[in-house]
Amino acid sequence: MKLSLEGRRFIQALEMCRLEAYPDGKHKDGSDKWSIGWGHNGNDVKPGMKITQAKADALFLEDVAWAEAAVIKNVTISLQPNEFDALVCFVYNIGEPRFKTSTLLARLNAGDRAAAAHNFLRWNRYLGKINAGLVKRRAAERHRFLGFSVAASLKAGDQAHAVHTKRL
């Protein structure tokens, strides 16, 4: 199975593209984690690094490939294209190690799609605190998993973000 064109657009809408490296969280040791392009991170990304749009797009395809492989390797039931797209987006963001030990995956592999869909919403914290950006992303991923269009899923994410920020 491959990420659909809509799935690619979905991830890119949630990630945005930056052609200069930016701090994107912290490593366990407290040092900055750097990202570039469509949310690409790793040891190859350094402060001050700049890339072209073509390089950002190439890195995106490489990152999508490992996220697709992680979903294929760890999901034991058959998936609909919208479910696969949502899961690839999720894994693209959290990585395979966290995905393969997640309750979301356990529920999905047990055949409980409703519980799996609900579990997207639990992945909304960064450094122990609820993060508005993750609230938005998880609501969008959940909607895509449930079969909504990319546009409707992104709108659901925006609505969840608006509700969350009103509470602050």
Side-chain angles (χ1 to χ4, degrees):
M1 193 164 228
K2 298 294 267 177
L3 185 69
S4 71
L5 180 57
E6 286 126 357
R8 288 181 185 188
R9 290 182 183 140
F10 182 61
I11 294 172
Q12 289 176 329
L14 293 169
E15 288 290 343
M16 296 189 330
C17 186
R18 298 186 195 178
L19 300 180
E20 188 168 336
Y22 59 95
D24 190 20
K26 299 279 185 189
H27 291 286
K28 289 182 181 179
D29 66 6
S31 64
D32 286 333
K33 184 183 346 174
W34 291 85
S35 291
I36 200 163
W38 298 103
H40 171 78
N41 58 55
N43 294 334
D44 59 330
V45 184
K46 307 287 184 218
M49 182 177 173
K50 294 180 183 179
I51 60 173
T52 65
Q53 186 65 54
K55 179 66 174 173
D57 293 343
L59 289 170
F60 175 72
L61 293 178
E62 290 173 18
D63 290 341
V64 162
W66 68 254
E68 288 172 332
V71 172
I72 291 166
K73 179 171 121 183
N74 291 288
V75 175
T76 60
I77 66 168
S78 62
L79 296 170
Q80 297 298 314
N82 56 287
E83 294 170 330
F84 186 77
D85 286 356
L87 291 167
V88 170
C89 183
F90 182 67
V91 172
Y92 187 97
N93 183 245
I94 70 163
E96 183 179 8
R98 294 173 74 203
F99 176 60
K100 69 183 186 181
T101 60
S102 70
T103 303
L104 187 157
L105 179 63
R107 298 289 186 262
L108 181 61
N109 283 339
D112 191 345
R113 285 177 157 81
H118 178 72
N119 267 267
F120 278 98
L121 303 178
R122 296 180 63 205
W123 288 82
N124 64 359
R125 295 180 182 271
Y126 175 70
L127 297 177
K129 295 183 182 177
I130 294 176
N131 176 281
L134 291 176
V135 167
K136 174 181 178 172
R137 185 181 188 115
R138 300 306 175 230
E141 289 167 342
R142 177 180 178 272
H143 273 75
R144 186 73 188 123
F145 182 84
L146 291 171
F148 290 90
S149 70
V150 168
S153 297
L154 293 171
K155 185 175 181 178
D158 288 340
Q159 291 169 337
H161 183 267
V163 168
H164 174 73
T165 53
K166 277 186 178 181
R167 291 182 190 164
L168 298 178

